[in-house]
Amino acid sequence: MHRVVERIRETGDVVTLCLEPVSGARLDFLPGQFNMLSVFGVGEVAISVSGAPRDAGPLRHTVRDVGAVTHALSESAAGDLIGVRGPFGSDWQITPVNAGVAMETRDVVVVAGGIGLAPLRGAVHELVAAQREGGGRVFLLVGAREPSQIVFNDDLEAWARDGAKVMVSVDRATTKWQGRVGLVTTLLGDAGFDPSNVRAMLCGPEIMMRFTARALVDMGVDPEAILVSLERNMQCGLGWCGHCQFGPLLLCRDGPIVAYAGLVSRLLSERER
Ligand SMILES: Cc1cc2nc3c(=O)[nH]c(=O)nc-3n(C[C@H](O)[C@H](O)[C@H](O)COP(=O)(O)OP(=O)(O)OC[C@H]3O[C@@H](n4cnc5c(N)ncnc54)[C@H](O)[C@@H]3O)c2cc1C
Ligand code: FES
């Protein structure tokens, strides 16, 4: 049981909920993992943790209002109670700074579409901190349908100030928009990372991840070095019910973050037919 301590409006249909446990310590999690959040009397849905393990304070989840449960979550106010089960699933495999483990020095390109930046937010915090300590360079490429749909603007500015290369593109510009226009894949060629020494993390609509992963492979990136975060309907989160099946994988247990290699790239391509 958790209590909402703050609700932050990110865009017209996206809010971040800050939650504190009613009793006990905050849940431990790794960047990219998700929790099952429940609104009593409405239902339960999978929502990624959008905070960073290094940040003290409440557990953060960023929610887009698309249906019954996400609407009830989006409407919840400070003081309301929410059920939290988790954390579940795989993570972005980030080496934390000062963990006594050799620093990852490969470039890392992070590509997010829309609210796909939420499951990546904690990872980017860690990666930017690692870059400051001599870790790989961070390239963050963000795509949104229109400027009003860009989430975490303050973070984007802070990460750029801290040395990450941040590029944003929108599908549809407004008269005030001064930045890039076009699909997020159009940013790849100009970003400046080394395709032979890079790892990639992709999260967003499946079609965006498919085209981005293919473009990266065409640039020479090793498919094993490309991680994608896949979404399927989740019910148990524990590998019991089969709702989240993706070929032979159960994405609550074997995912949601998987390497874009072999079977996964074939399954992602087959869904196009
Ligand atoms: C591992 C994982 C992590 C996730 N992380 C987040 C997150 O951080 N933030 C977040 O907002 N959502 C996230 N989701 C998606 C979220 O679980 C769904 O949006 C939610 O289950 C929808 O439930 P609902 O009852 O609100 O809508 P429903 O009533 O189930 O659906 C309403 C409408 O939304 C559509 N819809 C359902 N699921 C999705 C979806 N995944 N994407 C877009 N449209 C959908 C349906 O087709 C339907 O038209 C994640 C999903 C998974 C599997
Ligand atoms: S959600 Fe039940 S098996 Fe994955």
Side-chain angles (χ1 to χ4, degrees), residues 150-243:
I150 301 167
V151 290
F152 308 139
N153 282 293
D154 292 349
D155 289 316
L156 296 178
E157 283 172 24
W159 291 328
R161 271 198 310 275
D162 286 348
K165 176 144 189 189
V166 178
M167 300 171 79
V168 182
S169 186
V170 296
D171 299 347
R172 284 189 302 275
T174 52
T175 44
K176 286 193 183 142
W177 178 250
Q178 306 272 314
R180 304 264 303 225
V181 180
L183 298 177
V184 71
T185 41
T186 60
L187 302 175
L188 289 170
D190 298 336
F193 55 84
D194 174 2
S196 66
N197 189 35
V198 73
R199 59 203 172 109
M201 301 173 186
L202 319 183
C203 190
E206 208 157 290
I207 188 163
M208 164 255 159
M209 291 193 286
R210 187 187 308 140
F211 281 107
T212 305
R214 280 190 195 157
L216 287 167
V217 171
D218 288 346
M219 290 170 82
V221 179
D222 176 2
E224 287 286 354
I226 302 172
L227 297 179
V228 294
S229 182
L230 300 176
E231 278 191 13
R232 287 296 177 274
N233 181 10
M234 303 228 170
Q235 302 261 309
C236 68
L238 295 162
W240 293 348
C241 72
H243 275 90

Side-chain angles (χ1 to χ4, degrees), residues 34 45-48 62-64 66-70 115 231-232 234:
F34 68 95
V45 288
I47 302 290
S48 305
T62 301
V63 183
R64 181 156 162 248
V66 296
V69 183
T70 49
I115 196 180
E231 278 191 13
R232 287 296 177 274
M234 303 228 170

